[in-house]
Amino acid sequence: MSKRKSKDKSLPLGECISQVQTILRKRFFQQNQQGKRFGVESQHKHLVELLKRTVIHGESNSALIIGPRGSGKSMLLNDALEELVEIKQIEENVLRVQLNGLLQINDRIALKEITRQLHLENVVGERVFGSFAENLAFLLEALKKGDRTSSCPVLFILDEFDLFAHHKNQTLLYNLFDISQSAQTPVAVIGLTCRLDVMELLEKRVKSRFSHRQIHLLNSFNFSQYLNIFEEQLSLPPEFPDVQFAETWNTNIQCLKGNKTVEDVLRKQFNLTKDVRSLHMLLLLAISGINVPHPHLSSTDFLEASRLRSMDSKANLMHGLSVLEMCLVIAMKHLQDIYDGEPFNFQMVHNEFQKFIQRKAHSVYNFEKPVVMKAFEHLHQLELIKPMEGLSVRTQKEYRLMKLLLDHDQISEALQKYPNCPTDVRQWAISSLN
């Protein structure tokens, strides 16, 4: 009887929703979750075999993982390393050095970071902060003294690899690749980059010491597989506390997978980017709307999530402008139409605004010039307008040429949603936008 009760255990609806939020959010943000390798099985196998040859057999290697941002380069490498850790005695016997081209902007900084991560500060002593040549000579000597049978393997991971190619003389890359070709300390050099032309950046002497192994990630799955990813990422696991709620939830997800509206949203996202992280952001926005009155996802949730994802930030920014600032934007657009996109200055905008006031004969819009200038400067701070490049800063601010960073559609959309927009201003806008 107790077994049956535990099997049929039911939780309050609010508790179930809280559990769903926790499980799915953890799944979306977790980097190395099981089953996250989509369409990169062969690349994963290749990388694991390459690392095994270094870690187990003491064979030095070098390789590049190449793919667009968000294609899973770091995930692939971390997943391969996790698999290696499961093999006995590997976790303790491998030294890992992680470098990033955005942080280690020259070879001197990179060398200090290598020394720190290999825990050689106490050995080197004061010379850690000595000349680059001395530190490099010490590091190379330490690595070259070993042999492939007794030395601890060293794994160098170079994130943003293409930035290391811009270092002076590419000294660090040359020496790392040179060691990886030797039969001394086993070394694996793995570079991660999003540039397909990265080999063209390498000097001839560096290129000659590179193994030319390249692992490409291109997110090769089709839309049918993308729908399966969608279902897998939203489905609740069998161990969910409330079995009945989990079954209802998973059945609903299966129905949504075949829903035409949801399919259109997902196809739009798929055509925009195959990046699974972007899909996670879309799903995260969708599940944010579930609550006790609305415990299950619907097609409306995905439509709203898609709208939020594709929302124009500048058009949204305009919703918070004052009526005066909105009038100045309309005046600028009117000037651009009259002068065929030529830049304008504050005096021209102010004159255009004065024409509107005189034509409508409403003293309510008759602001003092310093007030109008303050509104104009606020638009500049919001980056809705910007000064033209190459102009002298000595030019009076009233006559400094500016450019409008909004187009016709953005202004029209902002006016449609602008709260309590005066009729006169709306009519003026329509006359200048048409």
Side-chain angles (χ1 to χ4, degrees):
M1 186 71 181
S2 60
K3 289 184 179 179
R4 185 176 178 181
K5 281 185 178 179
S6 62
K7 185 178 178 182
D8 298 337
K9 179 183 178 182
S10 60
L11 298 175
L13 188 55
E15 179 65 23
C16 287
I17 292 172
S18 177
Q19 292 269 4
V20 169
Q21 294 275 10
T22 302
I23 291 171
L24 295 186
R25 286 173 186 272
K26 183 178 179 182
R27 182 182 295 170
F28 296 159
F29 288 114
Q30 194 172 349
Q31 292 296 318
N32 294 317
Q33 56 167 304
Q34 190 66 26
K36 196 181 176 182
R37 286 198 309 273
F38 303 116
V40 292
E41 288 76 13
S42 60
Q43 292 93 327
H44 173 78
K45 184 178 179 182
H46 182 188
L47 184 59
V48 169
E49 289 300 321
L50 186 147
L51 294 175
K52 275 184 180 179
R53 288 200 294 271
T54 300
V55 172
I56 297 176
H57 305 295
E59 176 186 318
S60 293
N61 282 301
S62 57
L64 286 177
I65 303 176
I66 303 173
R69 297 200 183 278
S71 58
K73 299 183 292 296
S74 299
M75 177 272 296
L76 180 72
L77 179 60
N78 292 334
D79 211 10
L81 293 173
E82 285 290 327
E83 188 166 323
L84 288 178
V85 166
E86 294 175 2
I87 303 174
K88 291 181 179 179
Q89 298 181 342
I90 281 187
E91 185 175 7
E92 298 178 356
N93 296 337
V94 178
L95 295 174
R96 190 188 307 183
V97 178
Q98 185 98 30
L99 302 177
N100 191 305
L102 294 171
L103 300 176
Q104 285 76 47
I105 57 176
N106 58 49
D107 284 350
R108 179 185 292 275
I109 297 174
L111 193 60
K112 287 181 180 178
E113 183 62 18
I114 293 172
T115 306
R116 186 189 69 80
Q117 293 190 32
L118 291 178
H119 305 292
L120 296 174
E121 302 101 321
N122 295 332
V123 179
V124 183
E126 293 296 327
R127 289 189 299 148
V128 171
F129 301 100
S131 70
F132 174 75
E134 288 177 358
N135 284 286
L136 181 61
F138 172 82
L139 178 65
L140 295 178
E141 184 184 355
L143 291 174
K144 288 180 179 178
K145 275 186 177 179
D147 60 80
R148 60 185 297 178
T149 57
S150 60
S151 296
C152 183
V154 183
L155 174 61
F156 288 93
I157 301 170
L158 307 182
D159 211 348
E160 304 291 347
F161 177 85
D162 51 289
L163 297 181
F164 287 96
H166 294 297
H167 291 188
K168 185 180 180 181
N169 298 328
Q170 300 182 357
T171 307
L172 180 69
L173 293 181
Y174 171 79
N175 285 288
L176 288 179
F177 286 149
D178 189 49
I179 294 171
S180 70
Q181 277 201 336
S182 66
Q184 296 148 346
T185 301
V187 169
V189 182
I190 307 295
L192 291 81
T193 179
C194 58
R195 288 193 60 166
L196 292 172
D197 62 341
V198 66
M199 293 302 297
E200 304 301 321
L201 302 176
L202 300 180
E203 294 179 3
K204 189 175 181 180
R205 65 187 187 120
V206 178
K207 201 181 296 185
S208 66
R209 283 160 175 77
F210 175 54
S211 67
H212 291 269
R213 287 189 180 91
Q214 297 182 24
I215 301 173
H216 290 268
L217 299 182
L218 299 173
N219 283 344
S220 56
F221 48 81
N222 55 33
F223 184 66
S224 177
Q225 292 170 310
Y226 192 74
L227 288 176
N228 292 335
I229 295 170
F230 162 80
E231 181 181 359
E232 179 182 333
Q233 293 299 289
L234 282 178
S235 297
L236 294 178
E239 60 271 16
F240 189 80
D242 192 325
V243 177
Q244 186 176 356
F245 181 88
E247 289 177 353
T248 307
W249 176 276
N250 291 341
T251 302
N252 180 56
I253 298 301
Q254 289 177 356
C255 295
L256 287 174
K257 178 184 172 184
N259 184 282
K260 183 67 170 62
T261 304
V262 176
E263 186 177 328
D264 289 342
V265 169
L266 293 176
R267 187 174 292 279
K268 180 181 177 182
Q269 181 73 18
F270 178 79
N271 291 335
L272 185 65
T273 173
K274 293 182 180 180
D275 181 5
V276 178
R277 288 184 302 187
S278 294
L279 175 63
H280 284 162
M281 290 306 299
L282 179 73
L283 301 183
L284 191 64
L285 288 171
I287 67 167
S288 297
I290 63 172
N291 49 42
V292 174
H294 178 61
H296 294 286
L297 290 171
S298 66
S299 57
T300 309
D301 294 319
F302 289 96
L303 280 175
E304 179 64 16
S306 179
R307 187 187 68 80
L308 291 172
R309 288 278 289 163
S310 58
M311 192 174 284
D312 191 327
S313 58
K314 285 191 176 178
N316 286 340
L317 200 61
M318 291 182 67
H319 299 161
L321 297 181
S322 66
V323 175
L324 172 57
E325 290 164 345
M326 185 65 78
C327 287
L328 295 184
V329 170
I330 297 170
M332 294 172 199
K333 185 66 182 80
H334 197 34
L335 286 170
Q336 283 204 329
D337 293 340
I338 295 172
Y339 298 109
D340 197 22
E342 290 295 317
F344 52 84
N345 57 37
F346 168 74
Q347 194 60 50
M348 295 168 65
V349 174
H350 186 259
N351 292 341
E352 192 67 27
F353 179 53
Q354 288 298 319
K355 290 179 186 177
F356 163 66
I357 294 173
Q358 293 168 7
R359 190 166 62 250
K360 295 300 179 182
H362 282 303
S363 59
V364 67
Y365 303 120
N366 195 12
F367 297 95
E368 296 292 333
K369 191 172 182 179
V371 177
V372 181
M373 170 58 82
K374 195 70 177 176
F376 188 81
E377 290 175 345
H378 186 231
L379 294 176
H380 182 201
Q381 292 172 356
L382 293 174
E383 298 183 358
L384 298 180
I385 58 175
K386 73 168 186 177
M388 297 297 292
E389 296 177 359
L391 296 177
S392 173
V393 293
R394 295 181 180 179
T395 308
Q396 290 183 8
K397 55 185 180 181
E398 290 89 344
Y399 301 103
R400 192 176 301 163
L401 291 178
M402 309 290 283
K403 181 180 180 181
L404 183 62
L405 300 179
L406 297 165
D407 59 26
H408 179 285
D409 294 333
Q410 288 173 317
I411 298 174
S412 298
E413 181 186 347
L415 281 167
Q416 289 172 5
K417 298 180 180 179
Y418 190 80
N420 303 320
C421 183
T423 306
D424 294 339
V425 175
R426 192 180 297 276
Q427 289 176 349
W428 180 39
I430 293 171
S431 65
S432 64
L433 291 171
N434 290 337

